[in-house]
Amino acid sequence: MHTDERTPDYPAGTETILTHGGRWPDRQHGFVNTPIYRGSTVVFPALDALEDMGLRYRYGRQGTPLTDGLEDLITELEGAAGTVLAPSGVAAISLALMTCLSSGDEVLITDSVYEPTRVLADTLLARMGITTRYFDPRIGDAIGGMVGPRTRAVFLESPGSLTFEIQDLPAIHAALAGRGIAILIDNSWATPLFHRPLALGADLVIHSATKMFSGHSDVMMGTVSANADFIKPLAATHRTLGLTASPDDSFLVARGMRTLGVRMREHERRTLALAHWLAGRGDVEVLHPALPSHPDHAVFARDFSGSGCLFSFVLPPAPREAVAAFVDHLEIFGMGYSWGGYESLILPTKPHRIRTATPWTHSGNLFRVHVGFEDFEALKADLAAGLERYFSSAGD
Ligand SMILES: *Cc1c(COP(=O)(O)O)cnc(C)c1O
């Protein structure tokens, strides 16, 4: 297996935070894990208590000790002022955007964004009188020139989840500084273990906790963390919208977090090995920002301390039958949406169908790969056989 040039680097203290953060055994009879509080009603012993708005737990929608612990853990990892949980990653994206935008405002969104984020902007936000313009993911400080009188937020996703462009967050932050524009970023791919956007100028950081945080493909959840300027409006919007996360789902995500450090390291090692092996074949174009051949590698190496479990590759143009020949007979890789679990996945997609600001010019077929924990040689053999089928079907 290919070994990476450098050992992945977590910021100091990360692994201890993952292990001990957000749980308090002395508050629950010594039990290591905070139990699930499955509850709506909280009863008050007397009128004084009912009228005491400072009481932390007054009703189930406002959270429980378990959800508080999970929020604290993510807050510590992101270096944030606070975090809220939402019932899915898309709910977290909606919440973050609605925290910053009002009718009449404009948001600028990277053209490489996760497709449901685009759907939200083009439908619901549009209906509420919020306009969207999409920008080249590699725009860097030229974003300053796109700002209009009504621009209130910029939405990044780095890397883009199908096409893997890295956005130059420090340059974007510098270009927008002092202009009253919030910077939002979807950090699901890198996690706070490999990328801390708040320290680079972002205001709100979003995760699909469905992916790496849970790690087992068994739960849907999202999170939004904010800096000191945005935590109050974020918490208020969260409360107003009633986006409470389920206590049971919170337990699964809290459990997943405890092993995030070892999982990220192992995912990174395997993913890089597979990406290097594919790139070395010569007939496959690999889109992975940790590869020196990637156009954004310098920005990636500066701002990220490691890489995730997901990348894409492009094969030379071939008809649909070749794509089917590849994916229909894989023995280990499953075909499906999502990622971040223990099992390997592959997804043929068509980015040119989605983009509007910067056309996707690759003419070949794009496949997104999530590398799980199966035997590595078996994963390689499965892909090699699939490529063989693709190329022989394409040549027919
Ligand atoms: C999956 C995903 C989301 C949405 O998360 P859900 O939990 O599925 O709603 C958001 N952003 C990225 C980058 C994702 O991959």
Side-chain angles (χ1 to χ4, degrees), residues 131-142:
T131 52
T132 301
R133 276 184 296 148
Y134 294 93
F135 61 86
D136 178 350
R138 300 193 166 111
I139 194 168
D141 60 7

Side-chain angles (χ1 to χ4, degrees), residues 191 208-221 252-260 263-264 267 309 338-343 370-373:
T191 81
S208 170
T210 307
K211 313 291 165 51
M212 299 318 307
F213 287 2
S214 91
H216 294 77
S217 306
D218 54 2
V219 63
M220 307 288 304
M221 189 177 287
L252 290 173
V253 173
R255 180 157 79 167
M257 292 302 289
R258 303 300 171 197
T259 57
L260 182 63
R263 285 188 287 109
M264 284 304 284
H267 276 301
C309 59
S338 199
W339 50 278
Y342 48 81
E343 80 291 10
H370 164 62
V371 185
F373 296 142

Side-chain angles (χ1 to χ4, degrees), residues 44-58 62:
F44 303 88
L47 186 61
D48 274 356
L50 183 71
E51 289 173 349
D52 178 2
M53 291 302 156
L55 276 186
R56 173 61 192 93
Y57 303 111
R58 301 180 53 84
Q62 298 156 359

Side-chain angles (χ1 to χ4, degrees), residues 76-206:
E76 268 199 86
L77 293 170
E78 286 289 359
T83 298
V84 297
L85 309 179
S88 71
V90 168
I93 290 165
S94 322
L95 168 61
L97 285 164
M98 288 170 95
T99 297
C100 305
L101 294 167
S102 302
S103 182
D105 290 349
E106 178 188 66
V107 56
L108 307 178
I109 300 184
T110 175
D111 208 22
S112 54
V113 79
Y114 178 63
E115 194 177 1
T117 307
R118 186 183 278 268
V119 172
L120 170 71
D122 295 348
T123 59
L124 192 81
L125 294 188
R127 211 177 79 211
M128 290 164 53
I130 296 161
T131 52
T132 301
R133 276 184 296 148
Y134 294 93
F135 61 86
D136 178 350
R138 300 193 166 111
I139 194 168
D141 60 7
I143 192 125
M146 273 188 80
V147 171
R150 300 177 346 169
T151 309
R152 285 291 161 267
V154 169
F155 192 100
L156 313 177
E157 180 181 313
S158 191
S161 54
L162 291 181
T163 45
F164 294 89
E165 299 91 338
I166 296 288
Q167 278 125 69
D168 192 336
L169 172 55
I172 290 171
H173 170 62
L176 301 179
R179 299 171 79 169
I181 298 167
I183 300 179
L184 290 67
I185 183 165
D186 185 331
N187 195 32
S188 302
W189 182 83
T191 81
L193 274 55
F194 288 144
H195 189 219
R196 300 229 167 143
L198 295 173
L200 300 175
D203 298 295
L204 294 146
V205 178
I206 296 140

